[in-house]
Amino acid sequence: MSAILIDGKKIAEDIRSELAEKVASLRGKGVRPGLAVILVGDNPASVSYVTGKEKACAEIGIQSFETRFPEDVAEASLLEKIAECNRDPFVHGILVQLPLPRHIDERRVISAIDPTKDIDGFTPINLGRMLLEEPCYIPCTPRGIIELLKRSAVPTDGAHAVVVGRSNIVGKPLANLLIRKSVNATVTICHTGTESLAAHVRAADIVIACAGKPGLVSVDMIKSGACVIDVGVNRVPDPTKKKGYRLCGDVDFEGASKIAGWITPVPGGVGPMTIAMLLSNTVDAASRISGVQL
Ligand code: NAP
């Protein structure tokens, strides 16, 4: 392996200890940051994400309030719960774990969250403010990726970044952050309609794979010395594992790590940063809502 391994777990730990001090300071002034977590159904991946987020909250002194609904919950009940959280003075952030079941209008549910408590940054108001570079909550995964690039001193000014994926929660906001003057990359966004994905990725100084397709980015697509950020979290069957599967990203890690300049592992790369940014947004929300400066 010649690439520098970007240790997201370690960087996230550093951020979490910085945040623990901020939480202690808020609590010293009578404010305990609170996060409402809403989970629908029992999808194992969603349950595991929620458990991880709540554990991370507890570790730094953020209180979490979990509400679980059955898979067949009525949309009205979900909206009622969100309205209750919007009013609750002990709740500073509201997280609705996605995806929601098909019978529920995800956009309507997300839009019901008070933008001042939208710590995932998914409401139209926050996404609009992000575009305009006004104060807002930035979606956690894209924000975590920018933080990883900065803390790993990856040069971004004038770099060509290729983002593979254009979802509302990862690809689109990320591409937008990459073109901010403070990052200053030139961005290409690829998706399923892209012709010659390989040719685009080959031209990249920074490749960010967020497609959710194992093996999509193969070693022959990586330019020597490029920075490779793998956002994908895929479960692939593996009978040698107790759970019967293992996690992998969208990139051929073994191959790419031999020629890339920097690379993130899966797990242990982007995932821990997403959680760290969720905590950071929740602490910011508690400070803004309570009026207690940090
Ligand atoms: P998504 O909503 O399914 O979006 C996937 C995007 O990838 C779409 O824009 C799709 O293009 C594109 N895509 C799919 N196959 C492609 C292909 N063969 N060639 C080019 N583009 C392709 O997924 P998401 O929610 O953004 O998540 C993406 C991955 O990141 C998943 O594995 C997810 O588990 C992971 N993730 C990880 C974290 C973390 O914290 N580590 C956080 C969020 C997501 P179209 O638009 O044309 O369909």
Side-chain angles (χ1 to χ4, degrees):
M1 169 152 171
S2 67
I4 295 170
L5 188 76
I6 298 182
D7 187 347
K9 203 165 162 235
K10 168 76 179 65
I11 296 172
E13 266 165 28
D14 294 345
I15 294 171
R16 275 155 47 171
S17 36
E18 291 159 24
L19 288 170
E21 286 174 25
K22 291 186 176 179
V23 173
S25 150
L26 281 170
R27 291 184 72 177
K29 291 168 185 156
V31 179
R32 177 149 194 209
L35 176 69
V37 178
I38 299 172
L39 175 63
V40 179
D42 53 8
N43 173 295
S46 294
V47 172
S48 138
Y49 287 139
V50 159
T51 310
K53 290 168 185 175
E54 289 172 343
K55 189 165 163 266
C57 280
E59 273 166 17
I60 66 160
I62 296 177
Q63 195 169 15
S64 56
F65 309 96
E66 182 186 295
T67 308
R68 282 197 192 204
F69 288 103
E71 185 80 18
D72 61 354
V73 64
E75 188 177 299
S77 310
L78 219 46
L79 292 171
E80 208 175 290
K81 181 69 204 173
I82 289 172
E84 185 191 305
C85 294
N86 285 343
R87 289 190 301 267
D88 188 337
F90 296 106
V91 169
H92 304 105
I94 302 171
L95 180 157
V96 178
Q97 184 62 43
L98 301 179
L100 292 173
R102 278 165 185 267
H103 68 280
I104 289 174
D105 182 340
E106 205 162 274
R107 292 263 31 109
R108 190 158 37 218
V109 168
I110 296 298
S111 300
I113 298 172
D114 179 340
T116 64
K117 297 189 176 185
D118 170 29
I119 40 70
D120 262 332
F122 291 163
T123 60
I125 301 242
N126 271 306
L127 286 168
R129 285 185 184 149
M130 182 190 73
L131 201 69
L132 298 169
E133 301 192 33
E134 290 175 6
C136 66
Y137 299 109
I138 293 176
C140 302
T141 302
R143 189 179 159 211
I145 292 167
I146 299 293
E147 201 63 38
L148 270 188
L149 294 172
K150 287 207 166 134
R151 292 188 183 229
S152 309
V154 174
T156 58
D157 196 347
H160 180 195
V162 174
V163 178
V164 185
R166 58 174 163 189
S167 72
N168 290 335
I169 62 170
V170 188
K172 278 186 208 161
L174 175 63
N176 183 260
L177 295 176
L178 286 163
I179 57 163
R180 284 188 171 189
K181 280 231 158 97
S182 54
V183 183
N184 234 13
T186 299
V187 177
T188 299
I189 307 174
C190 299
H191 43 77
T192 55
T194 300
E195 284 186 23
S196 316
L197 175 71
H200 286 292
V201 175
R202 232 172 257 137
D205 303 308
I206 301 172
V207 184
I208 302 170
C210 43
K213 292 283 174 302
L216 180 64
V217 177
S218 52
V219 58
D220 56 300
M221 293 184 184
I222 311 281
K223 181 162 86 175
S224 173
C227 171
V228 179
I229 306 286
D230 195 350
V231 187
V233 178
N234 307 296
R235 287 182 175 200
V236 293
D238 184 343
T240 68
K241 301 281 175 201
K242 212 160 70 182
K243 289 181 176 165
Y245 67 85
R246 69 188 156 82
L247 292 182
C248 74
D250 292 352
V251 176
D252 165 14
F253 180 85
E254 283 303 308
S257 58
K258 294 193 176 78
I259 64 160
W262 297 260
I263 194 163
T264 59
V266 177
V270 174
M273 291 299 288
T274 297
I275 296 186
M277 294 300 113
L278 174 78
L279 302 177
S280 169
N281 283 350
T282 304
V283 171
D284 283 351
S287 161
R288 284 182 202 174
I289 292 171
S290 65
V292 174
Q293 300 289 322
L294 281 168

